[in-house]
Amino acid sequence: MADSQQPILQKDDAQHPLAKLNRLHFWLLVALNIVFLLFGQAAAVILGRFYYEKGGNSKWMATVVQTAAFPLLFIPYLFISSPQTHSEASNRPSIITVSVVYFVIGVLVAGDNMLYSIGLLYLSASTYSLICATQLVFSAVLSYFLNHQKFTALIMNSVVVLSLSASLLAVNEDSDKPSGVTKSKYVIGFLVTLAASAMYALLLSLMQLSFQKVLKKETFSVVLEMQIYTAIVATAVSTVGLFASGEWKTLHGEMGSFTAGKLAYVMTLVWTAIAWQICSVGVVGLVFVVSSLFSNVISTLSLAITPIASVMILHDKMNGVKAIAMLMAIWGFCTYIYQNYVDDNKASKAPSAVDATPNESRSC
């Protein structure tokens, strides 16, 4: 969560690499990154659920693929670099300090991804996505305590409505539990996904503090480096978990019993990994082209799109309770957006008072 006084659409720095783009090219670039983020995240969630539905059962493998395709991020990193001034070079933190920050956040990312994998195992893609929307609740609360964000009436409304939306899903007796999932496992999936959303919100606040207190700047290169190096750590941790748990021994049999076929098994994992990194490119692209707050807003919007996509593609059941929960989630999201719109207007009228604070967004 960015500071509540950060404008959503503001790139006034004349030195910004995209400052010379005309308005049409600017908005085309924004639209392209939005597509990357929305479709990348929706595709990754749906493919993750498809993996489980067709016979996949390795939670660690599902965790590994969420960050394993990080080398793809080197493509935009190599083609778009941010200029570094002499003062910035002299103020760079030590390698040890930066390494510790990346390592700690990377380990937390691996743990968070594991929680999400367990949640997706026991929940349908639509229910999973609606519960994930509660990350706004946790982000608002944690940002209030850690990042000194204002807690306005509109933010409070968003917190209450999203909390009620999640509560409806928790007590839904006619829930569309995946085949073979008992009521107790459904509850576990609900609680684990809720915990993952809380942990992700904590990651957002920690990343913001890292940019403010350690890295002390927000450029395309720095934001992308955060994505790449934490993904390397998360992938390493997840891979160790895969071998330490012994799940790697079951992968060959899992591939053979995958109902869609061996090729489909491999392609599902490959495209899930690629989809998450396409999402990451969209996240970082929006941070670079527009702002970190706008990136977070669009990332949250995708949580409302995924349930609709899962109903169409995976034929998830959309009963009355879930439909109401989705509408409440959208309403909570809209009030959150409106608060950002109000803050954007205030910040635009007093640009000198703006203290822009960077932020990360899931991620993806």
Side-chain angles (χ1 to χ4, degrees):
M1 297 282 291
D3 187 280
S4 58
Q5 292 299 310
Q6 181 186 359
I8 294 179
L9 296 170
Q10 181 167 314
K11 284 290 182 188
D12 296 328
D13 188 356
Q15 300 300 317
H16 193 272
L18 302 179
K20 296 182 179 180
L21 286 181
N22 61 45
R23 193 172 185 81
L24 175 61
H25 289 165
F26 171 81
W27 284 109
L28 284 176
L29 194 57
V30 171
L32 179 63
N33 282 289
I34 289 176
V35 169
F36 281 168
L37 197 162
L38 294 181
F39 285 90
Q41 181 159 309
V45 171
I46 290 173
L47 285 170
R49 184 58 234 166
F50 179 82
Y51 165 75
Y52 286 131
E53 285 191 354
K54 297 303 179 181
N57 197 46
S58 174
K59 296 182 288 292
W60 280 110
M61 176 55 72
T63 302
V64 169
V65 297
Q66 293 184 48
T67 52
F70 67 84
L72 293 177
L73 296 178
F74 282 106
I75 298 175
Y77 182 76
L78 294 175
F79 279 95
I80 305 177
S81 60
S82 301
Q84 186 179 57
T85 63
H86 177 72
S87 60
E88 288 177 339
S90 61
N91 291 329
R92 283 181 64 89
S94 68
I95 295 179
I96 295 178
T97 301
V98 175
S99 298
V100 170
V101 169
Y102 288 157
F103 179 78
V104 172
I105 292 178
V107 171
L108 291 176
V109 168
D112 193 41
N113 289 346
M114 182 59 172
L115 292 176
Y116 278 119
S117 297
I118 296 173
L120 195 55
L121 174 62
Y122 296 140
L123 301 173
S124 66
S126 54
T127 301
Y128 165 88
S129 297
L130 289 172
I131 297 173
C132 285
T134 58
Q135 70 184 49
L136 276 182
V137 176
F138 297 112
S139 291
V141 174
L142 287 171
S143 292
Y144 174 79
F145 289 105
L146 297 179
N147 307 117
H148 308 294
Q149 179 180 352
K150 293 190 300 182
F151 216 69
T152 65
L154 287 173
I155 294 296
M156 177 63 74
N157 175 78
S158 177
V159 167
V160 172
V161 170
L162 286 168
S163 298
L164 291 175
S165 173
S167 299
L168 278 177
L169 295 173
V171 300
N172 183 17
E173 293 294 334
D174 191 26
S175 59
D176 56 331
K177 298 186 293 292
S179 178
V181 174
T182 63
K183 181 64 176 179
S184 60
K185 288 184 177 179
Y186 175 85
V187 173
I188 291 173
F190 176 88
L191 294 176
V192 167
T193 304
L194 203 61
S197 298
M199 189 171 178
Y200 176 64
L202 176 61
L203 276 168
L204 294 185
S205 293
L206 291 177
M207 287 178 177
Q208 180 177 342
L209 286 174
S210 298
F211 281 119
Q212 288 177 309
K213 306 299 183 182
V214 181
L215 302 175
K216 297 181 180 179
K217 63 176 180 176
E218 177 192 22
T219 64
F220 179 81
S221 297
V222 171
V223 174
L224 197 51
E225 282 171 3
M226 172 73 81
Q227 289 271 13
I228 292 172
Y229 294 125
T230 56
I232 291 174
V233 174
T235 302
V237 172
S238 302
T239 303
V240 170
L242 177 64
F243 283 92
S245 66
E247 284 190 3
W248 67 276
K249 299 177 183 178
T250 67
L251 295 181
H252 186 269
E254 186 176 278
M255 181 189 298
S257 61
F258 201 68
T259 57
K262 293 182 178 181
L263 178 61
Y265 176 85
V266 175
M267 296 307 294
T268 298
L269 294 177
V270 169
W271 283 106
T272 301
I274 292 175
W276 277 123
Q277 296 314 309
I278 289 175
C279 175
S280 293
V281 170
V283 168
V284 177
L286 288 178
V287 170
F288 179 59
V289 178
V290 188
S291 74
S292 54
L293 177 57
F294 186 76
S295 180
N296 188 49
V297 166
I298 298 301
S299 179
T300 308
L301 174 62
S302 70
L303 297 174
I305 293 176
T306 304
I308 299 174
S310 62
V311 169
M312 296 173 60
I313 298 173
L314 297 177
H315 307 294
D316 280 2
K317 185 178 180 181
M318 180 61 74
N319 56 32
V321 174
K322 186 183 289 186
I324 293 173
M326 185 173 71
L327 292 175
M328 291 179 69
I330 293 174
W331 173 251
F333 169 77
C334 289
T335 58
Y336 176 81
I337 293 298
Y338 183 71
Q339 179 63 64
N340 288 328
Y341 170 76
V342 171
D343 293 334
D344 182 61
N345 282 341
K346 291 181 180 179
S348 297
K349 293 176 182 178
S352 61
V354 174
D355 182 19
T357 53
N359 170 48
E360 279 296 305
S361 195
R362 172 161 175 63
S363 84
C364 315

